[in-house]
Amino acid sequence: MQNCSGDEQNDVVYKDVVIIGNGPSGICLSYMLAGNWPYYTGEPHPGDEMLTARLHSSTRHGNEDTRNKLESLSSGLEGRIGGRPLSILMDQLQHPCVDMGLDVPSLLTWKTAEQHHEHKVIDHVVLGKGRPGGTWQSMDPNVLTISLNRWMSLPDLDIRQWEKMIESEQLWNMSLTEGGTYAQEFQEKTTGCKTASRISVGTVAAYYDDYVRKKGLEQYFRCGTVVTSVKPVGISHGREEDSQYGWTVEGFETKTGKRFRYRCKRVVLATGTTDSPNRLGIPGEESQTEWVTHDLNDLESKLDRLVDRQNDGELLNRFAPVLVIGAGLSAADAIMAARFRSIPVLHAFRDSSTEWNKADDEKTHHTKYGKLPGLPSSMYPEYHKVYEMMADGGTNYPLYKALPGYTLVQLSSNGNDRIGGAASDFRTVTMSSPDGQLRLFRVSNVAILIGYKPDLSYLEGGGTGLGKYSDKPIDGKTNPIEVDDFTYEMIKAPRTGLYALGPLVGDNFVRYILGGAFGILAHILSTSAT
């Protein structure tokens, strides 16, 4: 690492790679850049004989160009839930036959730089706003993941194995303090095996945080930072290294306000796409923050306060309903949260009435209906129940009324309501029905849960122009950043050396980030000066 005095009295730190985002994408890439590389075990793929043949052929032709190898190996592979070719390939190797419901050992083994001295350790830093794990650290820890526990794992440490390690450590500590009471249970814990199942968000967040420590990556992580600028630079001051270090990354530490500046050869965007909630842009949306929210955790806090006021006798009348906007998983969670507290729900979502009575194989499952229709009821009973409620409309479900095709037009309040004898807000929403008629509803709270967008304000133009549709903002589902399928380098960047992976490029599941990280590593190794 080199330091030199920079403009604005900031020290400039030189790095080979700066990774923006310390969630699972950033952690996975950091692990590889630290000299940990995957190797094919040589075992046959249990569900794809052609892939096995290509793998064996690839290992026999060691001098073949890396990109050609990856393109050949990825040929013909398809993912049940999308994904780029390299992401699907690495997922097939890491989780063979996972979409068939099989729990098969990985076909990859990981070797460190200590084991193989030819492994290159690439000087890098990972910048993140909070603790390692990214947005997983700010989610409701009690909610269960949609993905199975195994799918949430990072390289070389299955999350189920990590859970066993943590439980074993706890039992061992208890056995030391209380004698041999837990000796037998300790033995059972260390030899048992967890099955594939859903897992709490809190467990996943703790796993990502601890993974960084257990894998010795702490030296690369700089948490508690905000990136404010990522810019390409040209040769300046006659410095020879400036021709290689073509990017400047600037920001500040959240606790101290101290600014930092990095000059680097490559920048990787690994921030995910859930930085800022989408908004409707209607009157009252930003001014009525006391009862309008775009965040599930905030909604639950508001609902708890509402229940407390009811229990304290402040509310003289029955709860006014909560209005939930959206048809995704967050909206379903909001509906369940309100019904759990016996608060009535109005639920507005895009009209899908033509889908309800079709057989499963006839449903289009278009993205506008959210993920609910595609989730099997056996594994996701709570979400399937919400889907049934949407189909029923609320006839057979008390405290729930569906408003398919309704559009929220305006939110307003005045002081005509009475709470505990004192004036309070009379909260109303104006909705437009499918036939264009305006209707007024009284509500207690409104949750607008219509997805999220990434914060790319540190890029020129907020990243607009880097996606498939150059005139639209980046969206992980409808307009991901355009990258090369095998190097993950941005196609429309102002100069070389700018990469992205994870949800920013459409790899919206943790199980798919391995492909992007490997592609970036392979490209760096093949293009770095020796």
Side-chain angles (χ1 to χ4, degrees):
M1 180 176 71
Q2 306 173 34
N3 290 330
C4 68
S5 178
D7 297 336
E8 301 179 6
Q9 299 180 343
N10 288 326
D11 286 340
V12 177
V13 180
Y14 283 80
K15 291 285 183 182
D16 288 337
V17 179
V18 172
I19 302 171
I20 302 174
N22 64 357
S25 296
I27 297 172
C28 182
L29 179 57
S30 176
Y31 180 70
M32 292 192 188
L33 296 182
N36 304 288
W37 297 359
Y39 286 78
Y40 171 47
T41 63
E43 295 295 321
H45 190 286
D48 194 330
E49 294 181 357
M50 295 299 295
L51 176 57
T52 299
R54 294 198 300 273
L55 286 165
H56 287 163
S57 174
S58 175
T59 57
R60 290 194 298 268
H61 298 85
N63 296 326
E64 186 180 354
D65 177 73
T66 300
R67 183 188 180 93
N68 290 338
K69 278 188 178 182
L70 295 178
E71 289 183 354
S72 174
L73 290 172
S74 303
S75 176
L77 297 180
E78 294 182 358
R80 183 176 64 86
I81 50 177
R84 293 178 175 273
L86 185 54
S87 296
I88 296 173
L89 169 64
M90 298 302 289
D91 181 56
Q92 288 283 336
L93 298 178
Q94 182 72 2
H95 307 110
C97 300
V98 69
D99 289 328
M100 298 169 59
L102 302 181
D103 192 359
V104 180
S106 173
L107 299 180
L108 297 176
T109 184
W110 294 83
K111 299 181 181 180
T112 67
E114 289 74 21
Q115 294 171 311
H116 288 263
H117 296 298
E118 69 272 18
H119 287 196
K120 184 177 180 181
V121 177
I122 298 171
D123 187 27
H124 68 280
V125 65
V126 183
L127 304 175
K129 295 179 180 178
R131 301 201 319 274
T135 56
W136 287 91
Q137 302 296 349
S138 60
M139 298 180 188
D140 185 343
N142 300 310
V143 172
L144 294 179
T145 61
I146 294 299
S147 298
L148 298 180
N149 49 10
R150 185 186 178 194
W151 301 0
M152 311 307 297
S153 299
L154 295 176
D156 199 37
L157 181 58
D158 191 301
I159 193 170
R160 298 172 297 177
Q161 177 189 358
W162 173 82
E163 284 188 282
K164 286 169 53 183
M165 291 169 56
I166 297 300
E167 292 172 358
S168 298
E169 290 173 2
Q170 293 172 345
L171 286 172
W172 176 252
N173 292 334
M174 293 171 67
S175 67
L176 291 178
T177 57
E178 302 187 28
T181 307
Y182 297 93
Q184 182 177 354
E185 188 175 356
F186 172 77
Q187 180 67 23
E188 292 174 354
K189 287 290 185 181
T190 54
T191 57
C193 181
K194 286 183 174 290
T195 58
S197 61
R198 295 168 67 190
I199 190 172
S200 73
V201 167
T203 301
V204 176
Y207 162 72
Y208 291 148
D209 196 2
D210 197 40
Y211 180 94
V212 171
R213 181 179 63 85
K214 279 186 163 49
K215 292 300 181 180
L217 303 177
E218 292 172 298
Q219 60 181 311
Y220 301 110
F221 279 70
R222 187 172 184 178
C223 301
T225 62
V226 174
V227 174
T228 57
S229 174
V230 174
K231 294 180 179 179
V233 293
I235 298 177
S236 60
H237 308 300
R239 296 180 59 86
E240 182 179 351
E241 61 263 41
D242 284 348
S243 61
Q244 300 179 29
Y245 294 85
W247 290 91
T248 297
V249 178
E250 297 180 350
F252 63 90
E253 296 179 350
T254 52
K255 284 188 176 181
T256 65
K258 180 182 177 181
R259 300 198 63 81
F260 59 80
R261 177 183 296 178
Y262 289 97
R263 288 290 297 274
C264 56
K265 299 176 182 178
R266 308 168 198 265
V267 179
V268 180
L269 308 188
T271 56
T273 57
T274 59
D275 297 299
S276 304
N278 290 327
R279 284 167 161 74
L280 295 173
I282 59 174
E285 186 174 10
E286 303 301 329
S287 60
Q288 307 290 348
T289 55
E290 183 181 348
W291 53 281
V292 177
T293 184
H294 302 81
D295 179 77
L296 180 61
N297 289 341
D298 184 44
L299 173 67
E300 294 201 60
S301 297
K302 294 180 186 300
L303 297 182
D304 286 337
R305 289 196 295 270
L306 195 64
V307 172
D308 289 342
R309 288 163 59 192
Q310 173 76 49
N311 294 337
D312 292 341
E314 293 183 31
L315 297 181
L316 302 182
N317 301 316
R318 185 170 174 266
F319 291 125
V322 173
L323 173 63
V324 177
I325 306 292
L329 302 180
S330 294
D333 287 332
I335 293 168
M336 289 185 283
R339 285 173 54 81
F340 176 77
R341 295 166 174 82
S342 299
I343 299 175
V345 175
L346 294 174
H347 183 201
F349 52 92
R350 295 181 183 180
D351 187 10
S352 54
S353 57
T354 58
E355 296 288 298
W356 301 128
N357 296 320
K358 291 183 179 180
D360 287 342
D361 58 351
E362 295 178 321
K363 293 179 180 178
T364 61
H365 291 174
H366 193 274
T367 54
K368 74 176 183 178
Y369 305 125
K371 296 180 180 178
L372 296 179
L375 298 177
S377 59
S378 59
M379 189 176 297
Y380 308 97
E382 72 276 34
Y383 292 117
H384 188 71
K385 177 60 66 176
V386 173
Y387 182 64
E388 287 182 344
M389 292 162 58
M390 294 168 67
D392 176 79
T395 304
N396 297 306
Y397 293 91
L399 303 180
Y400 176 85
K401 179 177 178 58
L403 299 173
Y406 275 70
T407 304
L408 183 58
V409 176
Q410 185 175 2
L411 307 110
S412 59
S413 65
N414 57 50
N416 294 332
D417 204 2
R418 310 294 296 183
I419 295 180
S424 180
D425 287 340
F426 187 86
R427 302 163 178 175
T428 60
V429 296
T430 303
M431 306 283 291
S432 176
S433 66
D435 59 6
Q437 295 185 4
L438 297 181
R439 294 188 59 186
L440 199 67
F441 295 90
R442 182 186 175 189
V443 297
S444 58
N445 289 279
V446 175
I448 302 172
L449 303 170
I450 53 175
Y452 294 84
K453 59 185 177 183
D455 178 11
L456 300 177
S457 58
Y458 50 82
L459 295 175
E460 184 177 358
T464 300
L466 297 176
K468 180 179 180 180
Y469 305 103
S470 299
D471 59 336
K472 296 182 179 180
I474 297 300
D475 183 284
K477 295 179 180 178
T478 61
N479 191 36
I481 293 176
E482 271 205 298
V483 295
D484 183 282
D485 279 339
F486 295 94
T487 69
Y488 281 70
E489 189 171 22
M490 292 190 198
I491 294 174
K492 299 178 180 179
R495 66 169 296 165
T496 60
L498 187 60
Y499 303 78
L501 79 161
L504 285 173
V505 302
D507 287 338
N508 292 305
F509 294 87
V510 173
R511 55 185 277 199
Y512 280 162
I513 63 177
L514 180 59
F518 181 72
I520 293 172
L521 171 68
H523 189 245
I524 290 175
L525 294 175
S526 64
T527 56
S528 296
T530 56

